[in-house]
């Protein structure tokens, strides 16, 4: 997402907020080429092994799928080693640990992966984590650490899926303030969730959407067969309100009190060739989501072990009511 601006007390008029957003975009426009020079998409990787659709999430079918994907990860590791990228090779060796369970993997163009935490074959409740900007195979630990913490909080009967199924935008970039990446990612997310529902029809599924991931979830939301859509650390969704997501799911929103995303102007600025920003703040009353308490944490702390936000998100996934707190105006 856009960098944290200095704290201020802006007026509510559109010109002021629009100028603030444009100032951030100027910074992004300058920084994007610099960050792009080191994009992990520069590291080559072979095409992954072909996978048949998962018809049923039985232990045997999942074990076979995990083994095939481990082979694809090891093939990508060998390619990275030959390319001389020791950092990527080391990251891939960690992913190839036999104790890890990958539902899918593709090392090309920055990397795509879907990892399972917990026993998917016995899960009654499934949480699908959709990450925001700046997550790639080289920074995958940020997604994994939250998934591990949530899996432990859910305990027996719960499974967590870390869905890195799209090329996330750079944290400071023009792509992080437009819906372009989210629109293409939404197609992949819908396909994955439809397949998951077919393989695990009796399990309840919650979609957990962090930061730019909430824009992805909003694009995928219409008619999606999930129980809950949880937005946290969100810059907005591109939708005017929760009803505009056109989803039968319960929509939740929460934000930590030290999350810099609160300072990002919640506007949609329509320019001749692009629309910038994501509109209504999801924790605002006008958005209409149910609100859960997220405590004092910052932008990367929502799934931090022991945090109030982690406990409440786990309660939502488990079908229980989370603690709430006062809404923002």
């Amino acid at each position: 997402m856009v960098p944290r601006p200095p704290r201020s007390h802006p007026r509510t008029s559109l010109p002021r907020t629009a100028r603030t957003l444009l100032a951030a975009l100027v910074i992004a426009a300058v920084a994007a080429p610099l960050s792009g020079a080191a994009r992990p998409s520069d590291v080559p990787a072979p095409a992954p092994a072909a996978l048949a659709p998962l018809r049923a999430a039985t232990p045997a079918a999942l074990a076979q799928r995990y083994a095939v994907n481990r082979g694809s990860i090891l093939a990508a590791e060998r390619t990275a080693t030959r390319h001389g990228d020791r950092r990527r090779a080391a990251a891939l060796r960690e992913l190839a640990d036999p104790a890890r369970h990958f539902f899918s993997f593709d090392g090309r163009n920055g990397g795509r992966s879907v990892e399972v935490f917990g026993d998917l074959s016995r899960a009654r409740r499934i949480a699908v984590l959709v990450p925001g900007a700046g997550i790639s195979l080289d920074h995958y630990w940020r997604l994994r650490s939250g998934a591990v913490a949530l899996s432990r909080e859910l305990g027996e009967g719960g499974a967590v899926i870390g869905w890195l199924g799209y090329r996330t935008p750079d944290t400071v970039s023009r792509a992080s303030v437009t819906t372009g990446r989210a629109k293409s990612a939404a197609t992949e997310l819908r396909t994955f969730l439809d397949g998951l529902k077919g393989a695990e029809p009796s399990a309840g599924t919650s979609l957990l959407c962090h930061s730019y991931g909430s824009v992805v979830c909003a694009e995928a939301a219409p008619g999606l067969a999930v129980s809950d859509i949880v937005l946290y650390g969100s810059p907005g969704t591109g939708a005017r309100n929760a009803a505009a997501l056109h989803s039968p799911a319960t929509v939740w929103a929460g934000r930590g009190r030290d999350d810099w995303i609160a300072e990002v102007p919640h506007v949609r600025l329509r320019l001749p060739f692009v629309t910038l920003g994501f509109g209504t703040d999801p924790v605002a009353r006008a958005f209409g989501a149910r609100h859960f308490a997220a405590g004092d944490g910052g932008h990367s702390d929502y799934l931090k072990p022991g945090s109030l936000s982690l406990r409440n998100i786990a309660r939502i996934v488990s079908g229980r009511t989370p603690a709430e707190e006062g809404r923002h105006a």
Side-chain angles (χ1 to χ4, degrees):
M1 297 307 308
V2 292
R4 181 173 185 169
R7 293 188 178 275
S8 60
H9 300 281
R11 295 188 298 271
T12 57
S13 63
L14 179 59
R16 175 66 177 273
T17 55
R19 287 197 302 272
T20 303
L21 181 57
L22 283 171
L25 289 171
V26 169
I27 297 171
V30 172
L34 298 177
S35 59
R39 280 292 297 177
S41 58
D42 294 337
V43 184
L51 292 168
L54 185 68
R55 303 299 182 188
T58 64
L62 288 169
Q64 181 181 20
R65 193 177 185 94
Y66 298 155
V68 170
N69 286 314
R70 182 169 181 266
S72 294
I73 295 169
L74 288 170
E77 185 273 333
R78 290 191 293 271
T79 302
T81 298
R82 288 194 299 269
H83 184 66
D85 193 309
R86 290 180 293 180
R87 179 183 181 188
R88 171 63 64 83
L92 290 168
R93 281 193 292 273
E94 289 185 10
L95 268 58
D97 186 323
R100 306 279 290 270
H101 298 145
F102 282 87
F103 193 89
S104 65
F105 175 84
D106 187 342
R108 297 172 296 179
N109 194 28
R112 313 284 190 278
S113 68
V114 179
E115 187 174 7
V116 177
F117 303 82
D119 188 349
L120 188 59
S121 68
R122 301 176 61 187
R124 299 185 299 272
R125 294 279 180 170
I126 301 172
V128 178
L129 305 186
V130 181
I135 304 296
S136 66
L137 292 183
D138 294 329
H139 299 93
Y140 180 75
W141 62 269
R142 289 155 58 185
L143 175 59
R144 173 177 165 76
S145 62
V148 169
L150 180 59
S151 180
R152 289 172 178 166
E153 189 74 20
L154 290 174
E156 187 177 353
V160 177
I161 297 175
W163 187 82
L164 181 58
Y166 76 115
R167 182 182 173 187
T168 66
D170 289 333
T171 304
V172 180
S173 69
R174 287 160 286 189
S176 70
V177 290
T178 63
T179 59
R181 294 282 177 89
K183 288 181 182 296
S184 59
T187 300
E188 300 299 327
L189 180 57
R190 290 183 65 89
T191 298
F192 169 74
L193 290 170
D194 288 345
L196 182 64
K197 189 64 177 178
E200 280 281 21
S202 62
T205 302
S206 296
L207 197 54
L208 309 186
C209 318
H210 178 239
S211 196
Y212 188 85
S214 62
V215 187
V216 176
C217 291
E219 292 287 342
L224 208 58
V226 296
S227 304
D228 303 279
I229 296 175
V230 186
L231 311 172
Y232 51 103
S234 175
T237 63
R240 181 178 65 260
N241 52 37
L245 298 180
H246 302 293
S247 172
T250 301
V251 180
W252 300 85
R255 186 168 64 219
R257 283 188 282 275
D258 197 36
D259 188 344
W260 58 261
I261 207 75
E263 304 290 348
V264 174
H266 293 281
V267 297
R268 278 177 69 75
L269 185 60
R270 300 184 187 278
L271 299 177
F273 300 105
V274 67
T275 298
L276 306 173
F278 304 116
T280 312
D281 186 347
V283 301
R285 291 184 182 275
F287 191 77
R290 295 189 65 178
H291 197 258
F292 68 92
D296 296 324
H299 192 63
S300 300
D301 297 334
Y302 289 92
L303 299 180
K304 185 176 180 180
S307 65
L308 176 61
S309 53
L310 174 63
R311 291 197 299 272
N312 277 333
I313 289 171
R315 289 182 69 88
I316 292 170
V317 174
S318 300
R320 295 177 292 164
T321 302
E324 297 190 33
E325 63 185 2
R327 290 181 179 274
H328 294 245

